[in-house]
Amino acid sequence: MSVLTCVIESMGSSCSRPHSLNEAEATENAKSADIDRRILQETKAEQHIHKLLLLGAGESGKSTIFKQIKLLFQTGFDETELRSYTSVIHANVYQTIKILYDGAKELAQVEPDSSKYLLSLDNQEIGEKLSEIGARLDYPLLNKELVQDVRKLWQDPAIQETYSRGSILQVPDCAQYFMNNLDRLAEVDYLPTKEDVLHARVRTNGVVEIQFSPLGESKRGGEVYRLYDVGGQRNERRKWIHLFEGVNAVIFCAAISEYDQVLFEDETKNRMMETKELFDWVLKQRCFEKTSFMLFLNKFDIFERKIQKVPLSVCEWFKDYQPTAPGKQEVEHAYEFVKKKFEELYFQSSKPDRVDRVFKIYRTTALDQKLVKKTFKLIDESMRRSREGT
């Protein structure tokens, strides 16, 4: 082949290249435009989704609220999800009985009237067996034999006396519920009910989210919310920060029944004092300057029972509380006192330019489905009015 031919062919090849490049560029441009269009659509869709952040100290009931949202405004738990809670619920039983047995032994050594915490010899043997199981990382499924042992230990007067001191022993709130349902929990074909799932206690690690509308899945046109739940224990709180941007409302859970209890992770710290300090810290975050705050004074059902026996003044924050008449009147009086303390903290911790942000307080019991549903509809209505400027 002559040099001239090579040059001509080379020129021809060079001349055809822009044509093929134009086709490739057109394809790429079409792809890019499609991606941009989808991003724009997703961005517009995201603009209609309101971001809610569920915060609070450990054991405040946040995760129960989260599960209620799934039950109330989504399709609930399918059979696979329900079955996944079996091991959690059985673990709760073993952990509870271990806490109570070990607690009885400890109280028998330190309390003046130690005889109240001494178990019968037979029950001591059962207690050692169950305490050993409760210390494992993997627990056997409950069966009739194990349930008989758990029930026998639970009914021992020493364990019941220890249970009455549960606030100093980290006894979970679900203890009584699961102990009342032992036979059902041990059935061979046991399938947890939604009530069981709501009572089940498992600590939240990391971040979980759920998207919902208070109108429910079947109804269109309602506001859409994306709720984020994060672990409340101290070692989980570092994960909160990256979620703080772009939040429409913070739902802060405060377990008002825990005024006489100490933290799981620090037994020198009163839980209510920890909640107070945490609420104060969250209120002062710069990124929440215009963010709505919804305060859930949670676990009112437990508070209602406890206030009749344990004075509010055992908590440093409530030391100036003066009780009134016993009964329902005292419950309301104590609740209003606690509510006022949180209101004062809110206004003390909010800069003058932040006091006009939406702030609402709700009395809640996370296990009460009707109350939770009503509360979220009120939140939806409040936020809607705020957006409309009314």
Side-chain angles (χ1 to χ4, degrees), residues 38-224:
R38 275 187 287 152
I39 289 174
L40 184 62
Q41 287 172 347
E42 288 173 8
T43 302
K44 284 181 178 178
E46 286 290 316
Q47 288 173 351
H48 296 287
I49 297 173
H50 309 291
K51 184 176 176 182
L52 306 177
L53 198 53
L54 190 56
L55 300 180
E59 314 296 327
S60 61
K62 295 187 299 90
S63 298
T64 307
I65 295 285
F66 192 87
K67 286 184 276 191
Q68 286 281 29
I69 296 298
K70 187 175 175 67
L71 286 166
L72 284 165
F73 306 124
Q74 288 196 332
T75 54
F77 296 93
D78 61 29
E79 186 174 329
T80 302
E81 288 174 303
L82 289 173
R83 288 202 184 281
S84 72
Y85 273 92
T86 300
S87 58
V88 171
I89 290 164
H90 288 188
N92 286 168
V93 172
Y94 290 123
Q95 290 158 355
T96 296
I97 211 70
K98 174 178 170 56
I99 290 169
L100 290 170
Y101 176 70
D102 293 349
K105 289 199 298 183
E106 185 180 339
L107 290 170
Q109 293 176 346
V110 299
E111 290 292 309
D113 190 2
S114 60
S115 61
K116 291 194 297 184
Y117 304 101
L118 292 176
L119 285 81
S120 68
L121 290 176
D122 284 351
N123 285 349
Q124 283 179 35
E125 190 175 330
I126 292 171
E128 288 298 325
K129 180 177 96 172
L130 292 175
S131 181
E132 185 275 323
I133 292 174
R136 297 179 194 171
L137 292 176
D138 58 324
Y139 307 94
L141 290 177
L142 285 169
N143 55 39
K144 287 184 179 179
E145 182 185 341
L146 285 166
V147 157
Q148 285 178 352
D149 286 342
V150 172
R151 182 183 288 108
K152 192 174 180 188
L153 199 61
W154 168 250
Q155 292 173 347
D156 190 294
I159 292 296
Q160 285 300 304
E161 188 66 39
T162 305
Y163 178 62
S164 71
R165 303 285 304 277
S167 61
I168 64 169
L169 294 172
Q170 307 292 350
V171 177
D173 296 333
C174 62
Q176 184 84 51
Y177 176 82
F178 287 137
M179 292 302 166
N180 289 345
N181 288 277
L182 284 172
D183 289 326
R184 184 171 58 81
L185 303 184
E187 289 173 357
V188 177
D189 57 349
Y190 168 62
L191 178 68
T193 64
K194 69 177 183 181
E195 200 70 25
D196 295 344
V197 169
L198 288 172
H199 279 86
R201 181 69 193 103
V202 56
R203 287 194 184 87
T204 304
N205 293 313
V207 181
V208 289
E209 63 179 87
I210 190 170
Q211 192 163 301
F212 70 97
S213 167
L215 293 180
E217 289 260 297
S218 60
K219 298 181 182 177
R220 297 176 179 266
E223 299 293 335
V224 178

Side-chain angles (χ1 to χ4, degrees), residues 255-386:
I256 59 173
S257 63
E258 296 184 344
Y259 60 89
D260 67 331
Q261 294 174 250
V262 294
L263 292 181
F264 176 82
E265 61 268 43
D266 179 3
E267 295 192 348
T268 66
K269 185 74 174 182
N270 176 278
R271 288 190 189 182
M272 185 58 75
M273 295 305 294
E274 177 81 356
T275 295
K276 175 194 175 187
E277 291 165 17
L278 185 59
F279 187 49
D280 177 60
W281 177 78
V282 171
L283 286 169
K284 290 176 178 175
Q285 295 304 302
R286 183 179 296 176
C287 49
F288 293 150
E289 286 180 358
K290 297 180 181 179
T291 303
S292 299
F293 271 83
M294 310 295 169
L295 175 62
F296 283 14
L297 297 183
N298 196 32
K299 299 192 180 182
F300 179 77
D301 55 333
I302 302 173
F303 176 83
E304 193 174 17
R305 295 192 297 269
K306 184 180 285 188
I307 201 68
Q308 312 279 359
K309 303 173 185 175
V310 184
L312 263 184
S313 54
V314 300
C315 173
E316 177 67 21
W317 193 20
F318 305 146
K319 64 182 180 182
D320 56 335
Y321 176 71
Q322 296 294 326
T324 58
K328 192 172 182 180
Q329 188 179 345
E330 172 61 17
V331 173
E332 289 301 318
H333 179 63
Y335 172 78
E336 288 300 325
F337 179 87
V338 172
K339 180 183 175 184
K340 186 178 178 183
K341 284 286 188 180
F342 274 99
E343 284 175 336
E344 289 172 351
L345 179 61
Y346 173 81
F347 288 108
Q348 287 167 7
S349 304
S350 299
K351 291 182 179 179
D353 60 341
R354 299 187 192 183
V355 293
D356 60 347
R357 61 188 169 187
V358 175
F359 175 55
K360 300 284 185 181
I361 299 179
Y362 300 94
R363 178 191 301 195
T364 58
T365 295
L367 292 167
D368 186 334
Q369 197 166 60
K370 287 182 180 177
L371 183 57
V372 172
K373 186 175 185 178
K374 179 183 176 183
T375 302
F376 271 91
K377 289 195 171 181
L378 288 171
I379 288 173
D380 180 46
E381 187 181 313
S382 175
M383 291 186 67
R384 193 191 300 267
R385 283 202 306 266
S386 175

